[in-house]
Amino acid sequence: MMKKIKIIVLTICLFIPFLVNALEINDLYSENVIVYNKDENKILYEKNSEDTASIASLTKIMTTLVSIENIKDLNEKVTITEKMLSSVPWDASVAGLQVGDVVTYEDLLYASMLPSGADATDSLAISLTGSISNFVEKMNDLAKKLNLTGLKFSNTTGYDAAGHYGTAKDILKLLEYALENPTFKKIYETKEYTLSNGLKVSSTINYYNKKYSYDLSFIKGSKTGYTENAGYCLSTESVIDGVNILTVTLNAPDDGKAKNITDIDTIKNALNENMQKVNFVEENEVLKSLETKNAKEDYVKLRSPKTVTRYIEKPYDTSKLKIEYDGDQVIKSTVKKGTKVGTFKIYYDNKLIETFDATTSTDLHFSIWAYLKNNILYYIGLIVIIVLIKLTLKSKPKKKRKKIRL
């Protein structure tokens, strides 16, 4: 039941249109690209992101996720059979599993993702559903549930085949959904792992990092891919300037150097050069002070309940920041801490950034002296009126009573 609710909630989130920024990134080799600010649900850059293309081993994101959702016990043992390895293409990347190996389902998940092992993905498919075709059906079913209409699978590995394709945008949506699963997230972010049979596997991003001497330490998790039709592909979960960034790149050329790695480095540099993380408002910052009425305190402060942060294009112009308050202007002495008295709206460059309640930061205490001070004219006026009435009554002559004769 909880899994169904989770799918429904996340599917609704996937229906919400991405906000799009106007950032330009030049000199990218990949034909299909999407760069996404996960923290703000905003696309920072895209290029042919909705065009279908071959997706190579990015397929294994779906393979691994479907496996996780169908595994009852990650520690359950699996014996590798000839059937499991018989369908693995001769030129596919493998983890190195052999017939007769005894490993756990968890081992197979790591062997599928880190070294992009086709032997592990087919072993998962057959051990969990009896056949690759049965498993592929589950992959396509999940794509439909998530409304990822641009994804279609015909195998578990991403090997070039008819009816096997995807779009950069839908792969990104799938990745965002998959990262909500703790098991998937842990595997996706792991760089090295030793299977229970002693076989050591390493993330392909480690291989590229060492081979081409890029600094890829900003990448938390990744999945690479390559086929002749798909070119070099890459999905990443990164932290850049404290912002969680997801990227998908497809169809980078093979000219002796993996251009998908060149592209992620270019993307990182472009973000660092053109974007910055800005705290528009700090948590507990005083945004407004209001006068009080009949209270010991002369003013009550309205503070921000949170830090309002956005990832914006450089340079940050403070003159474009506007904080708008709509609410009470004078606060009564009976008001307690945390009472809502209005609303704050934060604008930057005439765009609404955040809206939140304006609440009092302290209790107010009644003051008799403040009360008398605020009402002195009223009482003076009342006294004057009373005195005038008395003087008027006193000054009127008394009427003489007439004697009545009998």
Side-chain angles (χ1 to χ4, degrees):
M1 182 63 181
M2 289 303 295
K3 186 199 288 189
K4 289 183 179 179
I5 293 174
K6 181 180 176 182
I7 289 177
I8 292 171
V9 171
L10 287 171
T11 303
I12 292 173
C13 292
L14 294 175
F15 278 129
I16 299 173
F18 287 133
L19 299 175
V20 182
N21 208 35
L23 177 69
E24 292 186 7
I25 304 178
N26 299 317
D27 304 321
L28 292 178
Y29 293 95
S30 299
E31 291 294 329
N32 315 87
V33 182
I34 187 165
V35 182
Y36 173 64
N37 176 352
K38 187 174 184 294
D39 296 339
E40 299 175 26
N41 186 35
K42 179 186 287 186
I43 293 175
L44 301 178
Y45 173 86
E46 60 182 330
K47 170 187 174 184
N48 304 324
S49 69
E50 297 185 32
D51 293 351
T52 57
S54 296
I55 59 176
S57 287
L58 299 195
T59 298
K60 295 183 177 81
I61 295 172
M62 178 64 91
T63 307
T64 302
L65 179 62
V66 170
S67 296
I68 291 170
E69 294 188 349
N70 285 273
I71 293 171
K72 295 180 180 178
D73 180 3
L74 290 173
N75 294 314
E76 183 180 340
K77 299 289 185 179
V78 179
T79 300
I80 304 302
T81 66
E82 186 174 345
K83 179 183 178 182
M84 293 175 182
L85 302 182
S86 63
S87 58
V88 177
W90 68 270
D91 56 346
S93 58
V94 294
L97 296 171
Q98 301 294 324
V99 174
D101 282 351
V102 179
V103 293
T104 65
Y105 274 122
E106 186 174 36
D107 291 335
L108 290 176
L109 294 173
Y110 280 99
S112 172
M113 286 294 289
L114 271 63
S116 201
D119 48 354
T121 57
D122 281 359
S123 296
L124 283 166
I126 291 172
S127 62
L128 287 170
T129 66
S131 71
I132 291 175
S133 59
N134 288 342
F135 192 90
V136 169
E137 186 176 348
K138 287 184 176 292
M139 294 168 69
N140 286 317
D141 285 344
L142 182 54
K144 289 178 183 177
K145 286 181 181 178
L146 298 177
N147 197 40
L148 304 178
T149 57
L151 287 180
K152 183 70 174 179
F153 304 99
S154 62
N155 58 64
T156 68
T157 63
Y159 204 73
D160 291 331
H164 194 101
Y165 54 82
T167 68
K169 182 170 285 187
D170 275 355
I171 293 172
L172 184 137
K173 291 178 180 179
L174 174 64
L175 177 61
E176 185 176 22
Y177 171 80
L179 288 171
E180 294 294 325
N181 184 295
T183 300
F184 180 92
K185 183 176 175 65
K186 180 181 178 182
I187 295 168
Y188 192 76
E189 294 176 354
T190 298
K191 301 296 191 298
E192 294 181 341
Y193 181 82
T194 301
L195 279 62
S196 55
N197 67 345
L199 181 64
K200 294 182 179 180
V201 293
S202 178
S203 170
T204 51
I205 203 73
N206 276 356
Y207 167 78
Y208 287 123
N209 197 15
K210 293 174 184 177
K211 184 175 181 179
Y212 300 119
S213 300
Y214 282 109
D215 178 11
L216 303 178
S217 58
F218 65 96
I219 297 177
K220 287 176 62 179
S222 65
K223 182 72 199 76
T224 62
Y226 172 79
T227 66
E228 186 175 347
N229 286 342
Y232 282 96
C233 305
L234 178 66
S235 72
T236 64
E237 174 199 20
S238 306
V239 178
I240 300 174
D241 195 18
V243 181
N244 290 300
I245 303 293
L246 301 182
T247 66
V248 174
T249 63
L250 305 176
N251 201 7
D254 179 11
D255 61 356
K257 188 173 184 179
K259 295 301 186 182
N260 55 347
I261 306 302
T262 303
D263 281 349
I264 191 61
D265 189 62
T266 299
I267 289 168
K268 178 201 67 175
N269 291 336
L271 293 178
N272 284 333
E273 290 172 7
N274 297 290
M275 304 289 291
Q276 68 180 120
K277 186 178 181 179
V278 173
N279 290 348
F280 290 126
V281 174
E282 299 285 351
E283 183 178 0
N284 213 37
E285 179 182 342
V286 177
L287 302 183
K288 192 173 184 64
S289 293
L290 297 178
E291 293 183 2
T292 63
K293 183 176 181 180
N294 303 331
K296 291 180 180 179
E297 299 80 8
D298 294 329
Y299 298 92
V300 63
K301 297 176 180 178
L302 306 183
R303 299 178 181 272
S304 173
K306 59 183 176 180
T307 298
V308 177
T309 302
R310 289 295 183 273
Y311 195 47
I312 63 170
E313 289 189 63
K314 293 180 180 178
Y316 172 45
D317 185 351
T318 55
S319 67
K320 294 181 179 180
L321 178 64
K322 178 184 177 184
I323 301 176
E324 185 179 276
Y325 170 74
D326 180 23
D328 298 338
Q329 297 300 317
V330 178
I331 308 302
K332 297 179 180 179
S333 61
T334 54
V335 166
K336 299 297 182 182
K337 179 181 178 180
T339 300
K340 179 183 175 181
V341 294
T343 302
F344 281 115
K345 291 183 178 181
I346 312 298
Y347 293 88
Y348 182 72
D349 197 18
N350 295 319
K351 296 177 183 177
L352 180 63
I353 299 297
E354 189 80 40
T355 300
F356 51 81
D357 292 343
T359 59
T360 53
S361 58
T362 56
D363 291 337
L364 296 182
H365 304 87
F366 178 75
S367 169
I368 185 64
W369 300 112
Y371 177 81
L372 292 173
K373 178 183 177 182
N374 290 331
N375 293 279
I376 190 168
L377 293 177
Y378 168 79
Y379 287 113
I380 289 175
L382 184 61
I383 292 170
V384 169
I385 291 171
I386 293 172
V387 169
L388 289 175
I389 290 173
K390 286 186 175 182
L391 290 174
T392 302
L393 293 175
K394 192 174 181 180
S395 64
K396 285 184 178 180
K398 293 183 180 180
K399 292 183 180 180
K400 293 183 179 181
R401 293 182 180 179
K402 292 183 179 180
K403 293 181 179 180
I404 301 174
R405 293 183 180 179
L406 297 175

